[in-house]
Amino acid sequence: MVAGGVRVRWILPAGAAAGVALWLAAPAVLRRIEFFRVRRIEVAGLRYGDPHAVTRALGLRRGASVFDDLRALQRRVHALPGVQEAEVGRRLPGTLTVRVEEAEPVALVPRGNGGLLALVDPRGRVLPFDPARAAPDLPIAASADSVLARTLGTVRDSDPALFARLSSAWRVRDDVVLEVEGRRLWLTGNATAEDIRAVTAVAQDLNRRNRGFQELDGRFAGQVIVRGMGA
């Protein structure tokens, strides 16, 4: 290295140099030690997915070591359909830990003609999860529609209490209709959290005054139209 015309040489003490070399070579050396062979895999974070699918996705070779490249294993798990985030770690001497974050479904949709249902995420993508595995209490959407699913995701995030009471949802042209305890809420396909809170506020006010209704229409800026209001 040259600084101000003076050549400077960096010299590591022999012990430090040996330590760096050992640190760099350690994983390759440790991989060959039987004591560190993978004997156990712990999977955490699953609610809908199958832990066996996660362990298969790791693609461990025969005699795999906990000191194998964890980044490669992590990429394989992350590539699984329905997995949003994945983290693979090690616990010595022989355990791999896998933590996953799954895509959160917002609705159940009909699948085929056999009466089966599938889970969809807020983008309307069908998730590869078995609904019977966790039996999620979700509204039934008419189809795996991206606009419908996005609206349901907005409701879930902005008003969890309302989302928990939804029974079904469907599209009417560019709009979305939600059914809540036999009543209908109308929203535009690009409804915001503010639009949803406005409809909820009107519903709460009517309930406080013991005024029944059949529909709340929140498709118009700055107002919510009430239909079928009782005396």
Side-chain angles (χ1 to χ4, degrees):
M1 176 180 179
V2 178
V6 179
R7 185 176 297 276
V8 180
R9 298 178 63 193
W10 296 96
I11 302 175
L12 287 174
V20 171
L22 180 61
W23 180 79
L24 293 173
V29 173
L30 294 173
R31 285 189 199 107
R32 296 196 291 269
I33 299 177
E34 182 69 27
F35 185 61
F36 297 118
R37 296 285 180 255
V38 176
R39 294 183 292 277
R40 180 181 175 88
I41 301 171
E42 296 179 355
V43 180
L46 287 180
R47 181 181 175 188
Y48 306 103
D50 181 357
H52 296 295
V54 174
T55 57
R56 288 194 298 270
L58 290 169
L60 296 179
R61 60 181 175 80
R62 184 178 181 85
S65 168
V66 294
F67 286 99
D68 287 342
D69 184 3
L70 297 185
R71 292 170 300 180
L73 302 181
Q74 187 166 297
R75 286 193 295 269
R76 294 170 191 166
V77 176
H78 189 266
L80 278 173
V83 172
Q84 286 189 323
E85 299 291 340
E87 181 180 351
V88 179
R90 62 173 67 92
R91 187 169 67 245
L92 301 181
T95 300
L96 286 178
T97 60
V98 184
R99 180 171 294 277
V100 300
E101 180 182 329
E102 296 172 305
E104 193 67 28
V106 295
L108 291 156
V109 298
R111 189 174 187 179
N113 298 320
L116 298 177
L117 296 172
L119 295 165
V120 295
D121 70 5
R123 296 173 64 180
R125 297 175 301 188
V126 175
L127 297 169
F129 303 142
D130 180 1
R133 181 176 180 83
D137 187 12
L138 294 171
I140 297 178
S143 62
D145 180 283
S146 60
V147 173
L148 188 55
R150 188 205 67 81
T151 302
L152 288 170
T154 303
V155 174
R156 181 195 63 189
D157 296 340
S158 61
D159 194 336
L162 172 61
F163 183 77
R165 292 160 49 216
L166 296 181
S167 57
S168 59
W170 62 93
R171 283 277 299 275
V172 177
R173 294 183 293 278
D174 294 332
D175 302 323
V176 172
V177 182
L178 309 177
E179 185 169 2
V180 186
E181 298 168 349
R183 297 167 173 173
R184 292 179 296 276
L185 308 180
W186 285 73
L187 298 166
T188 63
N190 58 355
T192 65
E194 184 178 353
D195 296 330
I196 293 164
R197 284 193 291 267
V199 171
T200 301
V202 171
Q204 291 172 343
D205 179 64
L206 291 171
N207 288 334
R208 280 194 299 269
R209 295 189 287 144
N210 294 319
R211 303 293 298 274
F213 64 90
Q214 289 301 312
E215 291 184 0
L216 295 180
D217 193 336
R219 293 176 292 173
F220 308 99
Q223 61 180 325
V224 174
I225 298 174
V226 183
R227 298 191 181 96
M229 187 167 62

